Amino acid sequence: MNLDILTILTLVPIITGLMLIILPQLLPKEMATNLKIITRNISMGIALAMFAIATMMFIGTIGNVEWTDILHGEYVLKNEQFSLISSIGVQWKVGADALSFPMIWLTSLLIPISMLVEWDAKRGHIFHPLILIMEGALLGVFVSLDLFIFYVFWELTLIPMFLLILLWGGEDRKYAAMKFFIYTFTASVFMLIGILVMYFHTTPIPGLGSMTGHHFDLVQMSLQDNLIPSEGLRHFVWILLLIGFATKMPSVPVHTWLPDAHVQAPTAGSMLLAGVMLKMGAYGFLRIAVTIFPESTIIFIPLLIFLGMASLVYGAWVCMGQTNLKRMVAYSSVSHMGLIFLGIATMQPLGIAGALFMMFAHGVISPLLFAVAGAFKHHYHTLEIGSMRGIAHHSPYLSGHMMLGWMASLGLPLMAGFVAEVAILIAFWMSFGWLVMLPALTLIITATYYLTSMQRTIFESNDPNQGILPDTLHGENPRDVTWHENTGMFILGIFTIIFGIFPFIFWDMMSVWSTQFMTDIMIDAMENVNVWSPSMDWISEVFK
Amino acid sequence: MNSLSDISLELLIPESIMIIGILTMILIPNLGDAKIRIPLTNTSVPVFIGGTRFTQVNNPFIPSIVAIITFTLSFFMSLIMLQGAKNGEIGQIMEVNQFTTLFSLIFTSALLMTSIATFYRMPPKQNPEIPQDKDTESSASAKIRILMNNRRQVDFYILLLMVGLGMCLMSKSTHLFLLFVCLELASLSSYVLVGFYKESDIGGEAGTKYFIVGSVASAIGIYGMSLLYLWNGNLQIDSLTSSWSTMENLDPFAGIGVGLMLVAFGFKVGAAPFHLATPDAYSGASSPIAGLLATASKAMGFVAIMKILLIITSPEEGVEAYWFIAIALISVITMTWGNFAALTSVNPKRMLAYSSVAHAGYMLAAIAAIGSGLGDYNSNVLIITALIFHLTILVLFKFGAFLVLTLLENEGLTHNMDGLKGLTRRDPVIAISMFIFMLSLAGIPPLSGFLSKLLMINGIVNVSAGTGSVSSATVLTWMTSVNVVFWLALSIVINSAISLFYYLRVGLLMFFEEPVVEGPLAKSIYLRITIIACAIFTLLLGIGPLSESLLEIANEAAQSLL
């Protein structure tokens, strides 16, 4: 079997991560001690190599792919057919397109940065390999084109994250880890039933599924006309899938695991959780639910708008009342994820491209926010917003990063988040008219809580030369960020600005893909069902 | 009539090996230098039985070694028979096919693991001292206890071999009478094995309770069988099947008879409401025996249930079996009760017992899906494949968990979760294996527990998802039109979510709490190898070529059952 590049990208981190954990148990004591010392360097080396491969794939050095030419339904860098459990139709099938590639690149970028930010983690000989395993599982979700493998990787991401929260988390970590695991696992077993119903409506393809006559191949499923004949069942399956994906995203009302998990998780865990794991929900929703059941998606547009709007408004509203920095950032993630649902609900190429870019931009910005929050926890031992003031005086670098991150997240122009927000709002206006006032006005709330928390933390001390330090320092001198935290945050900040000024780096492939996606799938579906459009005539009457 | 020479003994090699094992175990410890003097002469002829034992056979480890060798041999013989597809009938009461051979494999592997575990769990003392007159009362009684401990080795392993013999023959029998006799042989031996936990007071209590409830269940089963006999005049499974299929209306004798027999088998698998003795028996028995009850004994119950429900009273396509609603209800009650009870258990063995009750519920749900009569032959085979696959891999991860408890039991800490506390610090390899077992029990991919649960839900969804009306345009109309079987799949899903709580709690204890006892666990090298092998196979059978070949074997077995 010729190993293709995506398989290598997925399996190498998992295998090396496992080896780095297991090897010290088997080696003699002295060698094991030596190995433990250099474990983090090896992990970082592998993570950087993965990032280099992903970047070379992007430039075209590997695979020679022209990313802006990829239309919906085409997958590049595919592997040769290789069946894993052929009697029930499971095969190893990977591929990338414009929907998954930005996520793949983002994952491979965030892994070395999160390792760097927690370079000095306790028990680093387990910590860094666990993050490597996490990388493999996350990449596996984005590259797999077989629903069985997809589900396996989907659940596999839980285990390293569970252990990361459990072993390196805050005081209430047990509760948070259990809640995280049970919440998301429960949701994804509902998704599993949906997948199984789809599985039982597939027609056989030769050489696969000798025992059952069905297969898990996602590409074949999306090609099959009318996968599930019964319309009611189709909607039911769509809802089962939505339960799984919306919980991962997370959307109100199934978001409550997120703040707990974030507050207790170690910094690197939070960065990966917010940066990539939340995007798994949006990715899966677009890849499976919307692609295979476009008509159900159109029928349930009001539900999507309701969920998106509820997450957006409620998340932002709750943020204003938070006193814990990390909790606030976590709720702001909920709020931003709401925009993704709104972008999909517009059923405009611009809206879907905006949702895709939102996934990407939020994946760059939110790790920066969590790195800042983690640094506060690390150096000031507290996350209470009111307890420290005028930090800019003591930690100028940290304050600078905080300012950049906070500004990027509230949607300042020339930063990555702005592009996505504007695209989604324009598309929303095109589809639903004056209803756009609701999400647009929510951005004011966003600005309010970000600016308030920033002002109270890094400025606003009464003495120009002396900030107010929290009690948790016990009179120690406050420190600024360490070099590795500084570097990590700096890289993220740079990328935030780069993708704000030159969004077309990824925007082009996304917009080509989503335009094609609309014309291929959605236009047909829209002809079959009535598209919901809000009756907003009375507003236009008012404005006349 | 068949004479003994007609019976092809080569089909019964595993059982013959066990019988030889029992004989050896009785003979070897009794070998000695006894001689008999021929009358009227002075020449003495050695007879080897009795007298002073030879030093070689005086080793108290001999019974366990004999048991391990016997089970290993019959395991490999079953494996060879499975490979060579050696099938055939024996007399008119037994039949050997892929199904029975696979189950022999399951039983012998579970028993092999039990005997390896007890090798360390109840070690006899080499060269014990005999009490002297000058001993104080307490030291004399201590010495007597050691002597008794050595003596009971033979009893224990003979009972273990009896269990194996009963189980293997039971899976092969095609006559209800033989089936019941073999089942009772295995059951009665296992009641005594439960009571064998002599270090603790609750061992005897648990054994007695298990025995009383079990014999009541058996009595009810025999009553049911007598009703069946009254109805048909013959207990041959073939003849019962043909009478059942030609029966026009449900004969009350037949219906009640099958129902009563289900009580007996429901007790064996631990289905609610007949499961109440199960947690007491598991927590009272020593861990290897509890593991045996949770895997082999349960597989035995399921073989019996499959033979009764799926062969004799098998539903025709499109016709609901008369027991369908009852089994569906029992399955939902069983899994829910098991999971909720496990949530509150503080004894790890009780927790595993309730989790095994919950798993019985999942499997009964799969049987109910066949009973709905919605599926055709192929989908029924798929469901039975899932059942067989589940029962096979259960030996790996459920027994694996009990083996870990066996390691801990030497410290006397299995009646609460204390022994598991801080296990990662004391013994990371064992702790990680235990974590893998727990995740597999919860059904997390890519472990084998996930694949079996997936196949089971798969089978249920397969037969039921197509029943909803095709014309229904909204979710609600579809939900009202779909067959009730579909909701069994959802109840399995919700229950596995509940079960995560207590499986993960074990992980929390191992990773977090301060250890109650410091220092590494006992060495027990073979036990360790077995545990690690179980963990590795739990991983390997979840995905990849090995799981594929096991699936194929299970599929063949399922086809030969129907």
Side-chain angles (χ1 to χ4, degrees), chain A residues 85-87 151 155 166 173-174 185 189 193 200 211-212 230 232-233 235-236, chain B residues 382 445 450 458 462 469-470 472-475 478 493 500 508 512-513 548 555:
Chain A
I85 312 177
S86 85
S87 52
Y151 188 78
E155 296 290 32
L166 206 54
R173 54 189 184 249
K174 274 191 236 173
F185 180 79
V189 278
I193 289 200
F200 272 107
M211 210 164 90
T212 55
S230 161
L233 179 58
H235 298 335
F236 186 66
Chain B
L382 192 67
F450 165 69
N458 223 340
N462 185 15
S469 79
V470 181
S472 63
T474 62
V475 179
W478 184 82
V493 162
L500 257 186
L508 288 190
F512 268 104
E513 303 284 327
E548 162 104 50
N555 197 21

mmCIF file of all heavy atoms in Angstrom, chain A residues 85-87 151 155 166 173-174 185 189 193 200 211-212 230 232-233 235-236, chain B residues 382 445 450 458 462 469-470 472-475 478 493 500 508 512-513 548 555:
data_model
loop_
_atom_site.group_PDB
_atom_site.id
_atom_site.type_symbol
_atom_site.label_atom_id
_atom_site.label_comp_id
_atom_site.label_asym_id
_atom_site.label_seq_id
_atom_site.Cartn_x
_atom_site.Cartn_y
_atom_site.Cartn_z
ATOM 1 N N ILE A 85 -12.815 -2.932 7.406
ATOM 2 C CA ILE A 85 -13.676 -4.058 7.775
ATOM 3 C C ILE A 85 -14.610 -4.213 6.595
ATOM 4 O O ILE A 85 -15.695 -3.636 6.569
ATOM 5 C CB ILE A 85 -14.465 -3.780 9.062
ATOM 6 C CG1 ILE A 85 -13.547 -3.239 10.150
ATOM 7 C CG2 ILE A 85 -15.141 -5.042 9.552
ATOM 8 C CD1 ILE A 85 -14.286 -2.880 11.405
ATOM 9 N N SER A 86 -14.189 -4.965 5.600
ATOM 10 C CA SER A 86 -14.921 -4.897 4.343
ATOM 11 C C SER A 86 -16.278 -5.569 4.455
ATOM 12 O O SER A 86 -17.189 -5.248 3.716
ATOM 13 C CB SER A 86 -14.108 -5.513 3.215
ATOM 14 O OG SER A 86 -14.312 -6.894 3.183
ATOM 15 N N SER A 87 -16.443 -6.523 5.417
ATOM 16 C CA SER A 87 -17.726 -7.214 5.447
ATOM 17 C C SER A 87 -18.864 -6.295 5.872
ATOM 18 O O SER A 87 -20.008 -6.536 5.523
ATOM 19 C CB SER A 87 -17.653 -8.434 6.360
ATOM 20 O OG SER A 87 -17.162 -8.071 7.601
ATOM 21 N N TYR A 151 -16.602 8.829 12.468
ATOM 22 C CA TYR A 151 -17.135 8.704 13.822
ATOM 23 C C TYR A 151 -16.052 8.246 14.805
ATOM 24 O O TYR A 151 -15.979 8.727 15.936
ATOM 25 C CB TYR A 151 -18.314 7.728 13.835
ATOM 26 C CG TYR A 151 -19.026 7.704 15.153
ATOM 27 C CD1 TYR A 151 -19.913 8.706 15.482
ATOM 28 C CD2 TYR A 151 -18.778 6.711 16.082
ATOM 29 C CE1 TYR A 151 -20.552 8.709 16.696
ATOM 30 C CE2 TYR A 151 -19.419 6.713 17.303
ATOM 31 C CZ TYR A 151 -20.300 7.717 17.601
ATOM 32 O OH TYR A 151 -20.917 7.725 18.822
ATOM 33 N N GLU A 155 -14.931 10.521 18.045
ATOM 34 C CA GLU A 155 -14.938 10.139 19.460
ATOM 35 C C GLU A 155 -13.527 10.071 20.017
ATOM 36 O O GLU A 155 -13.315 10.271 21.201
ATOM 37 C CB GLU A 155 -15.611 8.771 19.641
ATOM 38 C CG GLU A 155 -17.067 8.747 19.268
ATOM 39 C CD GLU A 155 -17.942 9.510 20.226
ATOM 40 O OE1 GLU A 155 -17.468 10.501 20.795
ATOM 41 O OE2 GLU A 155 -19.094 9.133 20.382
ATOM 42 N N LEU A 166 -8.505 16.467 32.752
ATOM 43 C CA LEU A 166 -8.468 15.724 34.005
ATOM 44 C C LEU A 166 -7.124 15.856 34.719
ATOM 45 O O LEU A 166 -7.053 15.992 35.926
ATOM 46 C CB LEU A 166 -8.728 14.258 33.694
ATOM 47 C CG LEU A 166 -9.314 13.398 34.774
ATOM 48 C CD1 LEU A 166 -10.573 14.036 35.278
ATOM 49 C CD2 LEU A 166 -9.635 12.049 34.202
ATOM 50 N N ARG A 173 -11.731 20.280 38.074
ATOM 51 C CA ARG A 173 -11.522 19.633 36.790
ATOM 52 C C ARG A 173 -12.303 18.344 36.633
ATOM 53 O O ARG A 173 -12.711 18.004 35.531
ATOM 54 C CB ARG A 173 -10.052 19.363 36.583
ATOM 55 C CG ARG A 173 -9.446 18.575 37.721
ATOM 56 C CD ARG A 173 -7.949 18.519 37.575
ATOM 57 N NE ARG A 173 -7.409 17.673 38.632
ATOM 58 C CZ ARG A 173 -6.694 18.114 39.633
ATOM 59 N NH1 ARG A 173 -6.427 19.392 39.718
ATOM 60 N NH2 ARG A 173 -6.243 17.311 40.552
ATOM 61 N N LYS A 174 -12.530 17.622 37.755
ATOM 62 C CA LYS A 174 -13.218 16.337 37.621
ATOM 63 C C LYS A 174 -14.617 16.546 37.085
ATOM 64 O O LYS A 174 -15.045 15.883 36.152
ATOM 65 C CB LYS A 174 -13.316 15.669 38.993
ATOM 66 C CG LYS A 174 -12.098 14.869 39.334
ATOM 67 C CD LYS A 174 -12.404 14.037 40.559
ATOM 68 C CE LYS A 174 -11.405 14.325 41.632
ATOM 69 N NZ LYS A 174 -11.724 13.686 42.878
ATOM 70 N N PHE A 185 -20.436 12.989 24.275
ATOM 71 C CA PHE A 185 -20.613 11.592 23.852
ATOM 72 C C PHE A 185 -22.087 11.290 23.632
ATOM 73 O O PHE A 185 -22.463 10.665 22.637
ATOM 74 C CB PHE A 185 -20.043 10.647 24.914
ATOM 75 C CG PHE A 185 -20.184 9.195 24.573
ATOM 76 C CD1 PHE A 185 -19.314 8.604 23.688
ATOM 77 C CD2 PHE A 185 -21.198 8.439 25.114
ATOM 78 C CE1 PHE A 185 -19.446 7.279 23.352
ATOM 79 C CE2 PHE A 185 -21.335 7.103 24.776
ATOM 80 C CZ PHE A 185 -20.457 6.525 23.901
ATOM 81 N N VAL A 189 -23.801 9.953 20.111
ATOM 82 C CA VAL A 189 -24.459 8.676 19.828
ATOM 83 C C VAL A 189 -25.791 8.895 19.123
ATOM 84 O O VAL A 189 -26.216 8.056 18.333
ATOM 85 C CB VAL A 189 -24.631 7.760 21.058
ATOM 86 C CG1 VAL A 189 -23.383 7.012 21.339
ATOM 87 C CG2 VAL A 189 -25.090 8.497 22.258
ATOM 88 N N ILE A 193 -26.872 7.124 15.443
ATOM 89 C CA ILE A 193 -28.105 6.505 14.932
ATOM 90 C C ILE A 193 -28.453 7.089 13.579
ATOM 91 O O ILE A 193 -28.822 6.363 12.648
ATOM 92 C CB ILE A 193 -29.263 6.714 15.919
ATOM 93 C CG1 ILE A 193 -29.024 5.863 17.147
ATOM 94 C CG2 ILE A 193 -30.583 6.327 15.289
ATOM 95 C CD1 ILE A 193 -30.246 5.615 17.930
ATOM 96 N N PHE A 200 -28.122 2.265 6.184
ATOM 97 C CA PHE A 200 -29.033 1.221 5.723
ATOM 98 C C PHE A 200 -29.826 1.596 4.507
ATOM 99 O O PHE A 200 -30.622 0.811 4.036
ATOM 100 C CB PHE A 200 -29.948 0.767 6.855
ATOM 101 C CG PHE A 200 -29.287 -0.297 7.603
ATOM 102 C CD1 PHE A 200 -28.768 -0.089 8.843
ATOM 103 C CD2 PHE A 200 -29.067 -1.516 6.985
ATOM 104 C CE1 PHE A 200 -28.076 -1.066 9.485
ATOM 105 C CE2 PHE A 200 -28.379 -2.499 7.627
ATOM 106 C CZ PHE A 200 -27.885 -2.277 8.879
ATOM 107 N N MET A 211 -21.239 -8.637 3.908
ATOM 108 C CA MET A 211 -22.163 -9.208 4.870
ATOM 109 C C MET A 211 -23.477 -8.436 4.910
ATOM 110 O O MET A 211 -24.553 -8.999 5.036
ATOM 111 C CB MET A 211 -21.522 -9.189 6.246
ATOM 112 C CG MET A 211 -21.954 -10.288 7.147
ATOM 113 S SD MET A 211 -20.807 -10.384 8.503
ATOM 114 C CE MET A 211 -21.541 -9.305 9.668
ATOM 115 N N THR A 212 -23.389 -7.126 4.821
ATOM 116 C CA THR A 212 -24.591 -6.324 4.990
ATOM 117 C C THR A 212 -25.111 -5.746 3.689
ATOM 118 O O THR A 212 -26.284 -5.401 3.591
ATOM 119 C CB THR A 212 -24.301 -5.148 5.932
ATOM 120 O OG1 THR A 212 -23.187 -4.424 5.408
ATOM 121 C CG2 THR A 212 -23.979 -5.633 7.310
ATOM 122 N N SER A 230 -38.227 8.116 2.517
ATOM 123 C CA SER A 230 -39.290 8.698 3.335
ATOM 124 C C SER A 230 -38.894 10.091 3.806
ATOM 125 O O SER A 230 -37.853 10.280 4.430
ATOM 126 C CB SER A 230 -39.544 7.796 4.532
ATOM 127 O OG SER A 230 -40.210 8.508 5.527
ATOM 128 N N GLY A 232 -40.279 12.059 6.061
ATOM 129 C CA GLY A 232 -40.295 12.233 7.513
ATOM 130 C C GLY A 232 -39.029 11.671 8.140
ATOM 131 O O GLY A 232 -38.416 12.290 9.007
ATOM 132 N N LEU A 233 -38.595 10.502 7.665
ATOM 133 C CA LEU A 233 -37.381 9.885 8.188
ATOM 134 C C LEU A 233 -36.169 10.761 7.889
ATOM 135 O O LEU A 233 -35.267 10.902 8.712
ATOM 136 C CB LEU A 233 -37.204 8.492 7.591
ATOM 137 C CG LEU A 233 -35.959 7.734 8.033
ATOM 138 C CD1 LEU A 233 -35.939 7.585 9.537
ATOM 139 C CD2 LEU A 233 -35.911 6.359 7.400
ATOM 140 N N HIS A 235 -36.066 13.971 7.623
ATOM 141 C CA HIS A 235 -36.006 15.074 8.593
ATOM 142 C C HIS A 235 -35.556 14.574 9.956
ATOM 143 O O HIS A 235 -34.805 15.250 10.656
ATOM 144 C CB HIS A 235 -37.382 15.732 8.725
ATOM 145 C CG HIS A 235 -37.860 16.331 7.441
ATOM 146 N ND1 HIS A 235 -37.006 16.734 6.456
ATOM 147 C CD2 HIS A 235 -39.114 16.574 6.980
ATOM 148 C CE1 HIS A 235 -37.691 17.208 5.449
ATOM 149 N NE2 HIS A 235 -38.989 17.116 5.732
ATOM 150 N N PHE A 236 -36.033 13.393 10.314
ATOM 151 C CA PHE A 236 -35.671 12.839 11.614
ATOM 152 C C PHE A 236 -34.160 12.624 11.700
ATOM 153 O O PHE A 236 -33.515 12.989 12.685
ATOM 154 C CB PHE A 236 -36.422 11.519 11.822
ATOM 155 C CG PHE A 236 -36.253 10.925 13.184
ATOM 156 C CD1 PHE A 236 -36.770 11.566 14.291
ATOM 157 C CD2 PHE A 236 -35.587 9.731 13.355
ATOM 158 C CE1 PHE A 236 -36.630 11.022 15.544
ATOM 159 C CE2 PHE A 236 -35.436 9.189 14.610
ATOM 160 C CZ PHE A 236 -35.965 9.840 15.708
ATOM 161 N N LEU B 382 -27.643 -11.002 10.532
ATOM 162 C CA LEU B 382 -26.808 -9.869 10.931
ATOM 163 C C LEU B 382 -26.940 -9.595 12.426
ATOM 164 O O LEU B 382 -25.947 -9.374 13.129
ATOM 165 C CB LEU B 382 -27.229 -8.648 10.124
ATOM 166 C CG LEU B 382 -26.289 -7.477 10.209
ATOM 167 C CD1 LEU B 382 -24.994 -7.836 9.536
ATOM 168 C CD2 LEU B 382 -26.915 -6.270 9.546
ATOM 169 N N PRO B 445 -15.412 4.257 20.382
ATOM 170 C CA PRO B 445 -14.538 3.818 19.301
ATOM 171 C C PRO B 445 -13.107 4.222 19.571
ATOM 172 O O PRO B 445 -12.887 5.189 20.295
ATOM 173 C CB PRO B 445 -15.092 4.558 18.088
ATOM 174 C CG PRO B 445 -15.789 5.740 18.629
ATOM 175 C CD PRO B 445 -16.295 5.333 19.973
ATOM 176 N N PHE B 450 -17.236 -0.829 21.008
ATOM 177 C CA PHE B 450 -17.982 0.052 20.106
ATOM 178 C C PHE B 450 -18.507 -0.715 18.909
ATOM 179 O O PHE B 450 -19.669 -0.577 18.528
ATOM 180 C CB PHE B 450 -17.083 1.192 19.645
ATOM 181 C CG PHE B 450 -17.615 1.937 18.448
ATOM 182 C CD1 PHE B 450 -18.742 2.731 18.569
ATOM 183 C CD2 PHE B 450 -17.004 1.826 17.227
ATOM 184 C CE1 PHE B 450 -19.243 3.402 17.476
ATOM 185 C CE2 PHE B 450 -17.496 2.496 16.130
ATOM 186 C CZ PHE B 450 -18.614 3.288 16.260
ATOM 187 N N ASN B 458 -27.113 -1.279 14.702
ATOM 188 C CA ASN B 458 -27.198 -1.521 13.274
ATOM 189 C C ASN B 458 -28.325 -2.466 12.913
ATOM 190 O O ASN B 458 -29.168 -2.161 12.067
ATOM 191 C CB ASN B 458 -25.909 -2.237 12.906
ATOM 192 C CG ASN B 458 -25.335 -1.719 11.660
ATOM 193 O OD1 ASN B 458 -26.048 -1.121 10.902
ATOM 194 N ND2 ASN B 458 -24.070 -1.926 11.453
ATOM 195 N N ASN B 462 -31.714 -1.547 11.110
ATOM 196 C CA ASN B 462 -31.892 -2.194 9.806
ATOM 197 C C ASN B 462 -33.300 -2.733 9.644
ATOM 198 O O ASN B 462 -33.951 -2.499 8.625
ATOM 199 C CB ASN B 462 -30.875 -3.334 9.698
ATOM 200 C CG ASN B 462 -30.883 -3.989 8.345
ATOM 201 O OD1 ASN B 462 -31.434 -3.434 7.407
ATOM 202 N ND2 ASN B 462 -30.287 -5.139 8.236
ATOM 203 N N SER B 469 -43.762 5.171 7.502
ATOM 204 C CA SER B 469 -44.429 5.312 6.210
ATOM 205 C C SER B 469 -43.591 6.194 5.301
ATOM 206 O O SER B 469 -43.020 7.199 5.719
ATOM 207 C CB SER B 469 -45.814 5.908 6.404
ATOM 208 O OG SER B 469 -45.695 7.289 6.583
ATOM 209 N N VAL B 470 -43.493 5.770 4.046
ATOM 210 C CA VAL B 470 -42.642 6.472 3.089
ATOM 211 C C VAL B 470 -43.250 7.823 2.743
ATOM 212 O O VAL B 470 -42.547 8.780 2.431
ATOM 213 C CB VAL B 470 -42.459 5.606 1.831
ATOM 214 C CG1 VAL B 470 -41.559 6.283 0.833
ATOM 215 C CG2 VAL B 470 -41.893 4.255 2.219
ATOM 216 N N SER B 472 -44.817 9.845 4.675
ATOM 217 C CA SER B 472 -44.921 10.846 5.736
ATOM 218 C C SER B 472 -44.022 12.027 5.420
ATOM 219 O O SER B 472 -42.853 11.880 5.087
ATOM 220 C CB SER B 472 -44.522 10.237 7.075
ATOM 221 O OG SER B 472 -43.183 9.849 7.019
ATOM 222 N N ALA B 473 -44.593 13.208 5.545
ATOM 223 C CA ALA B 473 -43.842 14.387 5.132
ATOM 224 C C ALA B 473 -43.202 15.088 6.302
ATOM 225 O O ALA B 473 -42.266 15.848 6.127
ATOM 226 C CB ALA B 473 -44.759 15.356 4.396
ATOM 227 N N THR B 474 -43.671 14.840 7.489
ATOM 228 C CA THR B 474 -43.068 15.539 8.623
ATOM 229 C C THR B 474 -42.502 14.529 9.609
ATOM 230 O O THR B 474 -42.782 13.331 9.532
ATOM 231 C CB THR B 474 -44.109 16.396 9.367
ATOM 232 O OG1 THR B 474 -45.093 15.509 9.869
ATOM 233 C CG2 THR B 474 -44.721 17.416 8.451
ATOM 234 N N VAL B 475 -41.708 15.035 10.497
ATOM 235 C CA VAL B 475 -41.043 14.160 11.463
ATOM 236 C C VAL B 475 -42.064 13.457 12.343
ATOM 237 O O VAL B 475 -41.967 12.269 12.623
ATOM 238 C CB VAL B 475 -40.074 14.987 12.320
ATOM 239 C CG1 VAL B 475 -39.411 14.112 13.338
ATOM 240 C CG2 VAL B 475 -39.051 15.653 11.449
ATOM 241 N N TRP B 478 -43.871 10.584 10.757
ATOM 242 C CA TRP B 478 -42.968 9.446 10.618
ATOM 243 C C TRP B 478 -42.764 8.753 11.961
ATOM 244 O O TRP B 478 -42.774 7.534 12.056
ATOM 245 C CB TRP B 478 -41.623 9.896 10.056
ATOM 246 C CG TRP B 478 -40.734 8.735 9.828
ATOM 247 C CD1 TRP B 478 -40.739 7.912 8.749
ATOM 248 C CD2 TRP B 478 -39.761 8.206 10.725
ATOM 249 N NE1 TRP B 478 -39.830 6.914 8.908
ATOM 250 C CE2 TRP B 478 -39.218 7.066 10.108
ATOM 251 C CE3 TRP B 478 -39.303 8.587 11.980
ATOM 252 C CZ2 TRP B 478 -38.225 6.311 10.710
ATOM 253 C CZ3 TRP B 478 -38.325 7.839 12.581
ATOM 254 C CH2 TRP B 478 -37.794 6.704 11.940
ATOM 255 N N VAL B 493 -29.113 3.760 23.034
ATOM 256 C CA VAL B 493 -28.225 4.921 22.946
ATOM 257 C C VAL B 493 -28.280 5.741 24.224
ATOM 258 O O VAL B 493 -27.254 6.116 24.798
ATOM 259 C CB VAL B 493 -28.638 5.758 21.729
ATOM 260 C CG1 VAL B 493 -28.090 7.143 21.828
ATOM 261 C CG2 VAL B 493 -28.152 5.097 20.475
ATOM 262 N N LEU B 500 -21.967 5.846 30.815
ATOM 263 C CA LEU B 500 -20.662 6.527 30.807
ATOM 264 C C LEU B 500 -20.274 7.033 32.184
ATOM 265 O O LEU B 500 -19.111 7.015 32.547
ATOM 266 C CB LEU B 500 -20.744 7.724 29.874
ATOM 267 C CG LEU B 500 -20.109 7.599 28.525
ATOM 268 C CD1 LEU B 500 -20.172 8.925 27.846
ATOM 269 C CD2 LEU B 500 -18.667 7.187 28.687
ATOM 270 N N LEU B 508 -11.617 8.209 36.779
ATOM 271 C CA LEU B 508 -11.324 9.320 37.689
ATOM 272 C C LEU B 508 -10.613 8.823 38.936
ATOM 273 O O LEU B 508 -9.618 9.398 39.365
ATOM 274 C CB LEU B 508 -12.612 10.012 38.116
ATOM 275 C CG LEU B 508 -13.329 10.868 37.087
ATOM 276 C CD1 LEU B 508 -14.417 11.654 37.764
ATOM 277 C CD2 LEU B 508 -12.359 11.820 36.450
ATOM 278 N N PHE B 512 -6.892 10.056 39.819
ATOM 279 C CA PHE B 512 -6.891 11.183 40.715
ATOM 280 C C PHE B 512 -6.633 10.955 42.161
ATOM 281 O O PHE B 512 -5.847 11.627 42.782
ATOM 282 C CB PHE B 512 -8.246 11.845 40.681
ATOM 283 C CG PHE B 512 -8.192 12.847 39.711
ATOM 284 C CD1 PHE B 512 -8.773 12.656 38.504
ATOM 285 C CD2 PHE B 512 -7.415 13.940 39.917
ATOM 286 C CE1 PHE B 512 -8.633 13.582 37.568
ATOM 287 C CE2 PHE B 512 -7.281 14.874 38.967
ATOM 288 C CZ PHE B 512 -7.895 14.700 37.803
ATOM 289 N N GLU B 513 -7.391 9.980 42.726
ATOM 290 C CA GLU B 513 -7.372 9.871 44.182
ATOM 291 C C GLU B 513 -5.994 9.411 44.644
ATOM 292 O O GLU B 513 -5.250 8.777 43.909
ATOM 293 C CB GLU B 513 -8.427 8.853 44.619
ATOM 294 C CG GLU B 513 -9.819 9.183 44.144
ATOM 295 C CD GLU B 513 -10.443 10.301 44.947
ATOM 296 O OE1 GLU B 513 -10.144 10.388 46.146
ATOM 297 O OE2 GLU B 513 -11.203 11.097 44.373
ATOM 298 N N GLU B 548 -12.340 -8.064 11.272
ATOM 299 C CA GLU B 548 -12.972 -8.575 10.069
ATOM 300 C C GLU B 548 -13.080 -10.093 10.112
ATOM 301 O O GLU B 548 -14.148 -10.672 9.871
ATOM 302 C CB GLU B 548 -12.129 -8.130 8.870
ATOM 303 C CG GLU B 548 -12.367 -8.891 7.618
ATOM 304 C CD GLU B 548 -13.185 -8.086 6.653
ATOM 305 O OE1 GLU B 548 -12.807 -6.935 6.425
ATOM 306 O OE2 GLU B 548 -14.186 -8.601 6.160
ATOM 307 N N ASN B 555 -20.334 -14.610 11.667
ATOM 308 C CA ASN B 555 -21.354 -14.679 10.631
ATOM 309 C C ASN B 555 -21.634 -16.126 10.237
ATOM 310 O O ASN B 555 -22.787 -16.537 10.106
ATOM 311 C CB ASN B 555 -20.884 -13.873 9.423
ATOM 312 C CG ASN B 555 -22.019 -13.552 8.492
ATOM 313 O OD1 ASN B 555 -23.170 -13.582 8.914
ATOM 314 N ND2 ASN B 555 -21.713 -13.270 7.252
#
